[in-house]
Amino acid sequence: MGNQALEQGFNEILEGNKGWVDFVSKDTSGRFDQLSRGQSPEILWIGCADSRVPANEITGRKPGEVFVHRNIANMCVHSDMSMLSVLDYAVNVLKIKHIVVAGHYGCGGVAASLSRKQFGIIDNWLCHIKDVYRLHSEEIDGITDEEKRVDRLVELNVKEQVFNLCTTSIVQNAWKNGQDLAVHGMVVNIGTGELINQECTFDSNEDLGKVFAYQ
């Protein structure tokens, strides 16, 4: 590798792994040996790809206890095969009991969606967030403080993505089959570490509306 700065960064990754290997080798609980044979998490975390919102640390869970999918602005898009594949495996194979859709205040993706600037290929992804703005434009436009506008759209986006998730055939068939499954919307305050409940939990399709709730 010709670039010394890149080489140093790569070596730091390897050195960091050595520290983790040392930690694992000294653990006497047997949990890592158990993890090597399989996983049985009860939580699926669908969060933002932002490096500041790690699912395990925020929820106080150990390795093996949270199944994770992350993308820009924690979107649940019905045509996203990556998200749907994770969801299907989590619900139908791992039999998780809780799905957490987690946004975070100060989300760059949400902020970008409120801009008229072009950023590149990501613009096509941001259109999904712009759709959420369109549904709530009157409320958002009534907020004059830019930071508060972004944070309110973060909250509304989480609620919309929870609804999108609940309308998938995967989640609805789990409920139809009597599986215990709850979908929750949360927002992370990065500055305090708090996980804030958005009070939009669903554990059945009864409140989705007749057009969205399969029989």
Side-chain angles (χ1 to χ4, degrees):
M1 189 180 298
N3 188 308
Q4 289 186 345
L6 290 177
E7 184 175 1
Q8 180 180 349
F10 179 62
N11 287 335
E12 288 175 357
I13 294 173
L14 296 178
E15 287 301 316
N17 176 249
K18 289 179 181 178
W20 176 250
V21 170
D22 183 60
F23 173 78
V24 172
S25 68
K26 293 177 180 177
D27 182 82
T28 58
S29 67
R31 60 179 171 144
F32 291 106
D33 182 60
Q34 182 179 3
L35 286 176
S36 70
R37 295 194 295 269
Q39 60 176 324
S40 56
E42 291 193 353
I43 301 169
L44 167 62
W45 174 281
I46 299 180
C48 184
D50 193 297
S51 63
R52 299 168 295 175
V53 283
N56 284 71
E57 285 84 346
I58 288 172
T59 57
R61 300 294 173 130
K62 298 174 183 176
E65 295 182 343
V66 186
F67 199 61
V68 178
H69 175 79
R70 295 169 71 175
N71 60 47
I72 299 296
N74 43 272
M75 303 302 290
C76 299
V77 178
H78 291 122
S79 57
D80 180 0
M81 289 304 298
S82 177
M83 184 278 293
L84 291 173
S85 298
V86 171
L87 179 65
D88 182 60
Y89 188 78
V91 171
N92 293 319
V93 178
L94 297 177
K95 303 295 183 183
I96 54 97
K97 296 183 182 299
H98 298 276
I99 303 174
V100 175
V101 179
H104 66 94
Y105 291 132
C107 180
V110 172
S113 73
L114 287 173
S115 167
R116 297 179 63 186
K117 296 179 182 178
Q118 282 192 292
F119 298 93
I121 194 171
I122 194 175
D123 295 331
N124 301 284
W125 185 258
L126 297 180
C127 279
H128 297 297
I129 313 174
K130 289 179 184 286
D131 284 338
V132 177
Y133 161 76
R134 178 171 50 85
L135 293 173
H136 304 277
S137 58
E138 185 174 352
E139 178 183 353
I140 297 298
D141 290 344
I143 302 172
T144 56
D145 183 274
E146 184 63 28
E147 183 177 336
K148 291 180 180 178
R149 289 179 76 228
V150 172
D151 287 349
R152 181 55 181 152
L153 186 53
V154 165
E155 295 171 346
L156 293 169
N157 184 54
V158 163
K159 293 180 179 181
E160 292 295 336
Q161 302 318 310
V162 165
F163 188 86
N164 286 348
L165 202 64
C166 291
T167 59
T168 63
S169 58
I170 297 167
V171 171
Q172 292 208 38
N173 283 333
W175 285 333
K176 184 178 181 179
N177 295 331
Q179 188 169 334
D180 288 334
L181 178 64
V183 184
H184 315 276
M186 306 279 196
V187 173
V188 179
N189 184 326
I190 294 175
T192 65
E194 184 181 6
L195 192 58
I196 303 167
N197 186 2
Q198 296 302 296
E199 305 294 344
C200 55
T201 292
F202 291 83
D203 57 12
S204 74
N205 67 4
E206 294 177 359
D207 295 323
L208 294 180
K210 63 180 180 180
V211 172
F212 297 98
Y214 295 133
Q215 294 180 331

